[in-house]
Amino acid sequence: MARPALFFVFFWTLALILLGSVVHATDSSLACPDWPTCFGTLMPEMTGGVFWEHLHRLWAGALVILFTVTVILLRRAYPERDGLYRLGLAGIGLLVFQSVLGGITVLYELPDAVSTIHLALAFIFLGVLMVMIAETAPAGSEARPSRRSREHPEGEDPESSGLVKRAGIRTGVLVFAQSVVGALVRHTDAGVACPDIPLCLGRLIPPLDHPLVRLHFLHRVLGFVVAAVALRYAWLICRRVRQPLLRRLAVGLGIGVAAQVALGFASVAFQLRPLYVSAHTLLAATLFALATALATYAREDANP
């Protein structure tokens, strides 16, 4: 019961990140000018921007409750796993802090730094969930093979475990950094600072005298770096690693990062249309989760 609950919370969190992106893309962030109520009530008329903003708040509040219940279930299912329980408590604290940041975002009318930190913490919480999912995989399963099979897998490159771990950590750090820069691009309205694609202001390297152009161009450059690193590691893992789960995660990472570049192009080409921008944010969160999964599942010191 505890492990399925973790998966449920994981997908609920992805949906929350998507909702947050829709709120910003539809200019609904201040549709409810007060907090924690909306126009002085917990149940306002759900129309227009209020629908998206208040739905986002309700979804976030439900996440705090769902995850708290999940941590209680985990404590009962794995009473000896103190580290897992502490990770769950840290996750609850993170969600509470996120709620406060959400309130600050509204009350202080969307300060760029706070809004960016809000997204960054959402990604960190998603990573915490993925670590907890990996740590609760049944011993001997495809997700957590026995130590013997990890040390002497048939036909396996002895360096493969280190390769997968490096792939997960390096790609995860890059995706996280790129997502934070992307959040700054959105919240500073730099999304159309380079309105053409694939060039920027008609040049491969645009004039970098304006801060919004610099920020937008940095986001593009980082995007290509992330894509190159992720695709290289996906290829290496598919060549050298035999474990089906790790190969599937690598393939998902490779396909996902290619789709992410295409969505980035579409977001600019269609002038930040909510459909493309929101899908871009959701896929970034998914890529970070995949990278975290690779790093966690590859740990040689995982509990048996």
Side-chain angles (χ1 to χ4, degrees):
M1 186 67 181
R3 185 167 161 80
L6 275 174
F7 276 102
F8 184 81
V9 171
F10 175 80
F11 288 110
W12 190 277
T13 303
L14 281 178
L16 179 61
I17 291 172
L18 176 61
L19 273 174
S21 183
V22 171
V23 166
H24 186 273
T26 56
D27 292 324
S28 303
S29 301
L30 295 177
C32 295
D34 49 337
W35 184 89
T37 58
C38 180
F39 292 103
T41 177
L42 292 177
M43 286 306 297
E45 184 178 352
M46 301 289 279
T47 58
V50 172
F51 173 82
W52 292 113
E53 167 62 7
H54 198 60
L55 178 61
H56 181 244
R57 293 187 187 186
L58 294 175
W59 204 274
L63 176 61
V64 177
I65 297 171
L66 288 170
F67 185 66
T68 301
V69 172
T70 299
V71 171
I72 294 171
L73 291 174
L74 285 168
R75 187 59 169 173
R76 293 179 177 177
Y78 308 97
E80 74 288 353
R81 302 282 297 277
D82 291 335
L84 185 65
Y85 181 60
R86 286 195 293 269
L87 192 60
L89 293 179
I92 293 173
L94 192 59
L95 287 179
V96 172
F97 185 52
Q98 271 287 72
S99 300
V100 174
L101 275 183
I104 292 173
T105 300
V106 172
L107 296 178
Y108 287 89
E109 299 185 354
L110 311 179
D112 297 337
V114 176
S115 298
T116 301
I117 292 171
H118 194 55
L119 179 71
L121 291 180
F123 274 55
I124 291 173
F125 178 73
L126 196 68
V128 167
L129 281 173
M130 183 52 69
V131 171
M132 295 177 76
I133 288 171
E135 289 292 330
T136 55
S141 68
E142 181 185 61
R144 284 178 63 196
S146 66
R147 183 173 296 276
R148 176 182 176 84
S149 64
R150 284 200 308 272
E151 292 176 350
H152 306 288
E154 184 178 354
E156 191 77 278
D157 185 331
E159 298 295 326
S160 63
S161 181
L163 167 67
V164 174
K165 189 173 183 179
R166 288 194 302 275
I169 292 174
R170 292 175 183 177
T171 306
V173 169
L174 283 172
V175 170
F176 182 79
Q178 166 72 340
S179 300
V180 171
V181 173
L184 277 173
V185 167
R186 290 189 64 185
H187 294 300
T188 57
D189 295 323
V192 289
C194 294
D196 47 337
I197 199 76
L199 300 178
C200 178
L201 299 176
R203 298 172 60 176
L204 185 61
I205 300 178
L208 300 176
D209 51 345
H210 195 286
L212 295 187
V213 174
R214 289 198 297 269
L215 185 59
H216 185 110
F217 189 65
L218 173 62
H219 185 58
R220 288 195 186 187
V221 171
L222 269 177
F224 284 112
V225 172
V226 172
V229 171
L231 288 171
R232 175 178 177 271
Y233 274 124
W235 180 71
L236 288 174
I237 290 171
C238 288
R239 282 192 60 197
R240 300 181 185 178
V241 177
R242 297 292 178 266
Q243 291 182 27
L245 175 64
L246 298 180
R247 290 168 63 92
R248 287 198 296 270
L249 288 172
V251 169
L253 194 62
I255 294 174
V257 78
Q260 184 72 329
V261 172
L263 277 173
F265 282 7
S267 297
V268 174
F270 290 96
Q271 297 292 301
L272 307 183
R273 189 173 296 177
L275 172 65
Y276 298 107
V277 172
S278 299
H280 196 54
T281 303
L282 177 62
L283 188 51
T286 304
L287 290 172
F288 181 70
L290 288 172
T292 303
L294 276 174
T296 308
Y297 282 129
R299 291 196 321 172
E300 291 184 345
D301 61 343
N303 292 320

